[in-house]
Amino acid sequence: MSPFPRADYRGLSLYAPDRRPVGVDLSDNTNLWGTHPAALARIQAATSDDLARYPDLYADRLRAAVSQRFNVQADCVTTGAGSDDVLDSAFRAAYGTGATVRYASPTFSMVEPLARMNGIAAKAVLWSAAALDPQLLLEEDPDLVYVCRPNNPTGELLPVEWVERLLRHRGDEGPLIILDEAYANFAEETMISWAVQNPRLLVARTASKAFGLAGLRCGFGVAQPETTLAIEKSRGPYKVSRLAADAAAAALLDEDGWMANTVAECLVNRARLSDELSTRGLRPLESRANFVLFAAPSGSASDDALALRERGIAVRPFTGIEAIGEGLRVTVGPWPLMEHFLDALDETPWADADEEANASDSPPGRAS
Ligand SMILES: Cc1ncc(COP(=O)(O)O)c(C=O)c1O
């Protein structure tokens, strides 16, 4: 057998969620108000040099923008083609015989494949257990611990004190804690200032969500210089294009404008959508992100996602969610889109079943 690819790679499957075109896509937690105008203006002003010449080796202008916005030194910033790339590079820098990442599950679905791609064993701890006792994530001395805050797909925001307990245990000797803050703008909380103080913390951020720049593929991380240097080496040069870096920098430096306004509207709609779902008995989990996870109405997330897709709406199905069993994750957007979604939900087969069963049992996914 050919030595390529390496043996532990062969069992890996390609990340391929259902991305067929659909009328209203509420499946990927992007900013449904569109994109940041300052970023778009930079792209529209592109010159021949932007394309013909290589970008900065290590995205220095983007690092400078992150440094300015978050008031951290530029050497505490690393960047990547999306925050996936920052996570990937951090994992690669941790690779070694027996290297392990521990994480609380359910969480961002790319963690496990990213670990395996990089030859790292991924070990899950049940979310509810880890939420009570963060030290469970430190058992068997992992090299890395991944924590998503707020968490995808549940939307839960673990308290700062919880992260502090993780960091305190084992002092400077413990694993690198990767805090994924992809949705932090919607929680209006960040631990970036902690990352520059603590040699064991890396905060990963993305331009893909609140800033409306998923198509640019731009992300960054903040940590102490030793950690950012290791990630820069592992990621390599020229990974963020000139236009992507400049456009993301323009968006980041426009502090109180477009992004803040769309986030504010998103938070209002998140509460309103959660109320609508509760009214339907669908037990939405309390979310601090730009999505809401709720109980699959029929009890089967894949059936319900399919029924919604047939009505022009894409949501993401999940199984094995502790509080609700099977669930659907829906991205929060402008209210007319939410109305489309709710109308489609009310047309799905479970809605009829609900009417018929009004006086008897509720469908399996619903609160009794
Ligand atoms: C928790 C989390 N982290 C990271 C990412 C990756 O984002 P990016 O587009 O920056 O690679 C996502 C994307 O869905 C996410 O949900």
Side-chain angles (χ1 to χ4, degrees), residues 204-223:
R205 298 285 292 246
T206 180
S208 299
K209 308 297 180 182
F211 289 97
L213 298 171
L216 272 188
R217 308 307 303 127
C218 215
F220 58 92
V222 179

Side-chain angles (χ1 to χ4, degrees), residues 82-84 87 108 146 148 152 180 182-183 206 208-209 217-218:
S83 58
D84 271 358
L87 301 177
F108 181 37
Y146 170 89
C148 192
N152 176 8
D180 187 338
Y183 301 98
T206 180
S208 299
K209 308 297 180 182
R217 308 307 303 127
C218 215

